[in-house]
Every structure is written in structure tokens, then in C-alpha cells.
Amino acid sequence: MKQKPRLTFWQIWNMSFGFLGIQYGFGLQQANMSPIFRYLNADEANIPILWLAGPVTGLLVQPIIGSISDRTWSPRWGRRKPFFLIGAIVTSFALFLMPNSSALWMAASLMWILDTGLNITQEPFRAFIGDKLSDEQRGLGFAMQSFFVGFGQTVANLMPTIFRLLGITTTAAVATNVIPDSIKFPFYIGGAAVILAVLWTIYTTDEYPPDDMAEFERMKRQSSGIGGALTEIAHAFRDMPSTMKQLWWVKFFTWFGLPLMWQYLTLAVARHAFNAPTAQSPGFQEGTEWGNLCFAVFNIGCFGVSFFLPAVATRIGRRGTHALFLTLGGLGFLSMLLSNDKYAFLIGMVFVGLAWASILSMPYVLLSSSVPAERMGVYMGIFNGFIVIPQIINNLSISYIYPLLGNDPRNALALAGVCLLLAAGACFLVKENRASQVAAFPMGAGGH
């Protein structure tokens, strides 16, 4: 394999900058889709099924796009960049239309389109790090993506507050099926931000051709098209590293619980801190804004503590560190049961943000260093399955569990806390040897 040149900080910044727009889009989705569904008269118990678009499209799109992009090369367009652009266009289309939804079916349909676009764009960005950077620089590359995860989502979460501080008036919903301007404006900005950020990466960053073009063409002929991609996915799944299998229960409990935060946090804040149980209640828009602020604090806590994780891991080990931070996140969710004060939710989300910092330390660096470069995309996509399968199970089952939770969104957050505590315990199912710990919990990895 040819030695990759060492890139400067700003070259790595430019190649990762498109991730900022993607994460702005994810931030808008995570904080605002449940309120949008409620504005359009969705029943709270059925909201998780409306979120099914995210994990299903992730499960289907990422491995296929990863495999196809592995087999793509154009001297003009490159390998990953065509998928950056296609995904960005689809995402922007959905972001512009989403806040203008006039019916629940329209918002749900656009949710599928939005998630498809985000997944088309996101997976090649992860493989891009393996393509462009040498082993010693991949940690910085994934750390840069982690920074943009936190920064992009924080900006998205703060947009309603920023509008208010700038004196920009936003109208509240006064009737059924009306989405307020405080949600519309950030989505319009997001539609432009995704395209502009991705175009910045496309125009400032070149891609390297395959090291062995003859071998590349041979493999391309053997596994072309969707059928070839599915065959490649099956072969890669068969050869899955053992550490990924050991991590299954950690990932299952983590990602069964976390979607409850995106589905119900804002609704819980509106109901308990602002006495607004429905979208037509007077305090619902204010509760939605405070929910966005909670998500902003969550993301700030995440990238703020990330710098300290290696020091903690040095003292108590990587497995113990992950278990500790998952425990803190679980207690953060459970603490929200103690008070109806809006600051109780804010403080609880600080602790959840600490857990998120550890959760983002997925083994992308190790994975990118241990698999053949020609299979980089498909392995990144397969690993995403460990995240989305538990979410699919969540989306399909919560409507049956929600009545047992008293039909209260805050109790759904408590269930998320219990799941994180179970994930912390599952950390100790991973073998103790150091190689396994490094594989399971590398510091500095990024992703979403």
C-alpha cells in the first residue's frame, strides 16, 4: 500500500467540514421531529413508530452505499464525493419541505427522505477518513468529526434561542396542523447549511485513486451493482472481528434506550416544566425551545468532557471508563423524575452528555486500521447495524410499552436511564485483555 501523505490541520478541517452541515441536519431532526409530529396531532404512544425511518434507512442504506462507494472511482468526481453531493441534495430538499408539512403523513414521508439523504452522505464521510489519512492521523480525523458532531448539533439546538436574542419574532401555533416559525426558520437555514458545507469539502479536498487500479477493476467487476453489494456485505459480516460481537449487548441496551431521549425529552419538558401536555397548550412552544436548550447543553457536555476521557481511562481502564460514563448518563435520566423545575432537565442532560461523549468513542479508528482499504466503506456500514437494530426494536415496541409507563414522556426518559445502567453492566461482558479493551473503547473516535 502506498504511504499516504501527512495532511495539515486545515486540510483535515476542510475534508471534515461537510460533516458540520450533516450534523446540523441531525440536530434539527432530533430536537424537533417529535414536536412537529405533535403539532400535526400524532399520538404520543405512536411517536416512536414515526421515528422508524432513521434506523431502517441506516440499516439498509449505509452498508449498500459503503459497498458501492468502495467500488466507485472517477478521475473527475472521486470515490466518496459523489455520494456526499447526492445525499446533501436529498437532505436539503427534505429540510426545506419538512416544516411546511400540512399533515402527519407528509411529515412522516419527509422523515424517510431526510434520513435517507443523511445516511447517504454520512457513511462515505466516515470511510473518507480511512481513505485520506495514514494510521497515525486517523485519530485526529475522527476527533475532528466528533467536534463537528457536537458543534453542528449544538448550533441547531440553539437556533430558537438565537432568534429570540436577535429580536427575530417567531409566531406560535394557534391552531391544529400549524408549525411555528421558530421551527421553520432553522430548517430553512439547515437546508442551505448542508449543501454549502458539503460543497466546501468537495471543492477543497481531492481523493486518491486506488493503489492498484487493475485489482480495483477486477473486484469492481466481481461485485458490481446492488447484488454485488449485498454479496460483499454478507462476506464482510461473516468475517466480522470478534470484538464487535462482544460489544453487542453494550450497544443493544445503549441504543434501545437513547432513542427515547430524542422521542420524548422535549415533550417531557413541555408537559412537566411548562404545564403543556398538548401542542395547543400555551406553554408548548416555550417548552420546545427549552428542550432545544437541553439538547445544546447535552452536546456541549459531550465535546467538553471528551478531552478528559483518556486521562480517566488511564486510571480505571477503558472498559471501566465506558461503564462509569454510561452510569452517569443513566442517573442523569433518572434524576429528571425528582423535580418539575426546568433546570432539573437541564442538569440531567449535562450528565447524559457525559455518557454521549463515551458512546461516541466507537471503534472507528481501530476498525479503519484493521480492515482492508478496499472494504472500508462496507465495514463502516455494517458496524452501523449494531446501532440501528436496537433502535428498530425500540420503534416497534415502545407503543406497547408506553401505556405501562403511564403514558408519561418523563417515564420514558427514566426507562432510557435504566437501559444505560444495563449497558454499563454489559461492558463487563467484554473480555478483560488489553487488546479487547482497546478495540472496544478507543479514545478519540467519532461518528453519529
Side-chain angles (χ1 to χ4, degrees), residues 139 142 146 242-255 306 308-327 354-367 383 386 420 422-446:
F142 283 114
S146 292
S242 60
T243 301
M244 293 174 65
K245 300 174 185 177
Q246 297 170 7
L247 281 166
W248 166 250
W249 288 111
V250 179
K251 297 294 183 285
F252 175 81
F253 288 120
T254 298
W255 287 100
S306 295
F308 300 99
L309 283 175
V312 178
T314 299
R315 288 185 173 272
I316 66 174
R318 296 173 185 270
R319 184 178 65 175
T321 298
H322 196 53
L324 170 63
F325 280 87
L326 286 173
T327 300
L354 303 184
W356 185 236
S358 187
I359 292 167
L360 282 183
S361 295
M362 300 292 183
Y364 293 121
V365 173
L366 178 81
L367 191 64
F383 188 72
F386 279 70
L420 290 193
L422 291 172
C427 288
F428 297 99
L429 297 176
V430 181
K431 293 182 179 179
E432 274 284 358
N433 66 78
R434 176 164 177 77
S436 179
Q437 290 185 20
V438 173
F441 311 115
M443 296 299 111

Side-chain angles (χ1 to χ4, degrees), residues 29 171 190 222 347 393:
Q29 179 197 68
T171 59
Q222 286 183 346
I347 294 171
I393 296 172

Side-chain angles (χ1 to χ4, degrees), residues 257-437:
L258 274 180
L260 295 167
M261 172 181 68
W262 294 304
Q263 295 158 3
Y264 287 114
L265 174 71
T266 301
L267 302 182
V269 171
R271 175 180 293 197
H272 291 282
F274 293 88
N275 195 28
T278 71
Q280 284 69 48
S281 300
F284 190 80
Q285 184 177 353
E286 189 178 358
T288 299
E289 181 177 326
W290 192 263
N292 272 270
L293 187 60
C294 288
F295 276 113
V297 169
F298 159 82
N299 283 299
I300 291 171
C302 166
F303 64 75
V305 78
S306 295
F307 298 104
F308 300 99
L309 283 175
V312 178
T314 299
R315 288 185 173 272
I316 66 174
R318 296 173 185 270
R319 184 178 65 175
T321 298
H322 196 53
L324 170 63
F325 280 87
L326 286 173
T327 300
L328 291 175
L331 295 176
F333 277 127
L334 291 172
S335 71
M336 298 175 191
L337 294 172
L338 302 178
S339 173
N340 287 339
D341 190 90
K342 62 183 181 180
Y343 290 101
F345 291 95
L346 202 67
I347 294 171
M349 286 300 286
V350 171
F351 287 96
V352 178
L354 303 184
W356 185 236
S358 187
I359 292 167
L360 282 183
S361 295
M362 300 292 183
Y364 293 121
V365 173
L366 178 81
L367 191 64
S368 66
S369 301
S370 63
V371 301
E374 66 271 13
R375 302 178 83 181
M376 187 74 67
V378 67
Y379 264 105
M380 290 293 182
I382 288 174
F383 188 72
N384 188 60
F386 279 70
I387 297 173
V388 300
I389 290 174
Q391 293 183 64
I392 292 172
I393 296 172
N394 167 291
N395 297 151
L396 293 175
S397 63
I398 292 300
S399 61
Y400 301 101
I401 298 173
Y402 198 66
L404 302 177
L405 301 174
N407 293 311
D408 189 333
R410 186 166 62 174
N411 291 339
L413 299 180
L415 176 58
V418 172
C419 288
L420 290 193
L421 294 179
L422 291 172
C427 288
F428 297 99
L429 297 176
V430 181
K431 293 182 179 179
E432 274 284 358
N433 66 78
R434 176 164 177 77
S436 179
Q437 290 185 20

Side-chain angles (χ1 to χ4, degrees), residues 75-286:
R76 179 177 182 183
W77 298 105
R79 171 178 288 180
R80 314 292 180 185
K81 292 196 291 186
F83 300 94
F84 296 169
L85 184 58
I86 293 169
I89 292 172
V90 173
T91 299
S92 292
F93 170 80
L95 287 173
F96 280 122
L97 291 182
M98 181 68 77
N100 294 298
S101 299
S102 57
L104 186 60
W105 67 265
M106 182 177 178
S109 300
L110 286 169
M111 178 83 153
W112 283 86
I113 297 172
L114 174 60
D115 269 300
T116 298
L118 289 169
N119 280 292
I120 290 173
T121 308
Q122 177 171 265
E123 194 287 326
F125 259 105
R126 288 172 173 165
F128 202 36
I129 297 296
D131 294 343
K132 290 283 294 180
L133 300 179
S134 60
D135 285 351
E136 61 268 23
Q137 285 200 298
R138 284 176 183 170
L140 176 59
F142 283 114
M144 189 74 74
Q145 287 194 353
S146 292
F147 169 79
F148 283 127
V149 168
F151 184 71
Q153 293 187 18
T154 299
V155 173
N157 299 148
L158 289 175
M159 287 308 297
T161 301
I162 292 172
F163 283 146
R164 180 168 49 79
L165 293 176
L166 292 176
I168 299 175
T169 302
T170 56
T171 59
V174 294
T176 301
N177 290 12
V178 176
I179 298 171
D181 291 344
S182 58
I183 291 179
K184 287 184 178 180
F185 294 164
F187 271 76
Y188 297 154
I189 293 172
V194 171
I195 286 287
L196 294 175
V198 168
L199 286 176
W200 180 269
T201 288
I202 288 174
Y203 284 107
T204 60
T205 307
D206 295 324
E207 292 194 73
Y208 304 138
D211 292 333
D212 187 337
M213 187 61 72
E215 176 66 11
F216 171 80
E217 292 294 340
R218 184 188 68 80
M219 295 184 67
K220 181 178 178 180
R221 288 192 298 271
Q222 286 183 346
S223 57
S224 60
I226 298 296
L230 294 175
T231 300
E232 172 65 10
I233 292 168
H235 290 166
F237 190 86
R238 178 194 62 198
D239 301 331
M240 181 187 301
S242 60
T243 301
M244 293 174 65
K245 300 174 185 177
Q246 297 170 7
L247 281 166
W248 166 250
W249 288 111
V250 179
K251 297 294 183 285
F252 175 81
F253 288 120
T254 298
W255 287 100
F256 182 88
L258 274 180
L260 295 167
M261 172 181 68
W262 294 304
Q263 295 158 3
Y264 287 114
L265 174 71
T266 301
L267 302 182
V269 171
R271 175 180 293 197
H272 291 282
F274 293 88
N275 195 28
T278 71
Q280 284 69 48
S281 300
F284 190 80
Q285 184 177 353
E286 189 178 358

